[in-house]
Amino acid sequence: MKQLKHEKSGIINKQTKTTKVMQIMPHNSKQTSTNTQEYCLNDCVMKVNNNAFATDANLLLLNNLNNNLDAVDAVVKVRKNFSTRNLMKTKRIWKVPWFLLCICVLQISIYLLNNKCLIEHLMFIPKYKHQYWRFISYMLLHSDLFHLTMNICLQLLIGVCLEIEQGHLRVAIVYMAGVISGSLATLYLLPQLSLMGASAGVYGMLMSHLPHLIKNFHNLTYRYLRIMCMVILFLSDVCFTTYHAIANGNMNPRICVEAHIAGAINGFISGFLVYATSERQAMSSTCT
């Protein structure tokens, strides 16, 4: 009987424990369900925040790309404008020998006017050496049509490529230096003679081709042809002057050899002092 009582009491105790466990379990399951719901909500919020951050990042990347593309387009436009401006400059300005053209126009105009008073005021006369413009103005005068035609043809043949490649100012300095040296040579070596013609300036340009070739030999186009033409022009003029001196006694017309030599020497020296060394691209694209 005692054993049955103990067994019954054990069964009752087990039942009471299970009921307590059953009572406790539903309370704990409610807490876990609320926790899982909160976790799901937090996960959804995190996903939404991540998606918003991703969209913001994508928008920033797109804005940066658009800005970069705009910058690249601007740089390309600037480069195109700069290159077109350079091309327009080289085509419109530097391929026209303005200095030589103006000199030729003045020489032809004064010859056609044929005004004796103007000729007397422009001719270089040593006794009027205090009139300083005569040291330069005599280059605008010519004795006859043959003299004028020869000087203009030589000026254009010798100086066009030279002015295009070296610029107006440098060629003008070399030309004027040859003219002044010719009048100075006449003043001190032949003070009894008057002087007219542009031969001293032409010889200055002709001999200035030597320093131009020496400084820019590898950058010039047709450099060997230029050397050959320069040698032919120089030898032909020397032969003509020698023949005129032997056949006509250097009279009718009187050729001022001293002015020619002075202009040639001055052109050779001033070419080294004035002319510049240019780049290959600039030289090869100018006088072709």
Side-chain angles (χ1 to χ4, degrees), residues 199-217:
S199 298
V202 173
Y203 265 89
M205 280 198 305
L206 177 63
M207 293 305 295
S208 70
H209 269 279
L210 284 175
H212 178 58
L213 286 167
I214 292 169
K215 286 186 172 184
N216 305 291
F217 184 75

Side-chain angles (χ1 to χ4, degrees), residues 146-172:
F146 177 77
H147 190 200
L148 175 68
T149 305
M150 285 295 294
N151 276 339
I152 287 178
C153 291
L154 288 173
Q155 279 177 174
L156 296 176
L157 184 62
I158 294 168
V160 168
C161 284
L162 195 62
E163 185 176 350
I164 289 171
E165 292 167 351
Q166 287 292 339
H168 313 304
L169 181 61
R170 293 188 180 97
V171 173

Side-chain angles (χ1 to χ4, degrees), residues 32-46:
T32 55
S33 63
T34 55
N35 290 327
T36 54
Q37 289 176 359
E38 289 178 356
Y39 179 77
C40 290
L41 289 171
N42 291 325
D43 192 10
C44 292
V45 170
M46 289 293 291

Side-chain angles (χ1 to χ4, degrees), residues 235-251 253 255 257:
L235 291 177
S236 62
D237 191 77
V238 169
C239 292
F240 175 77
T241 304
T242 305
Y243 173 77
H244 180 69
I246 294 171
N248 301 320
N250 197 15
M251 298 298 292
I255 297 174
V257 181

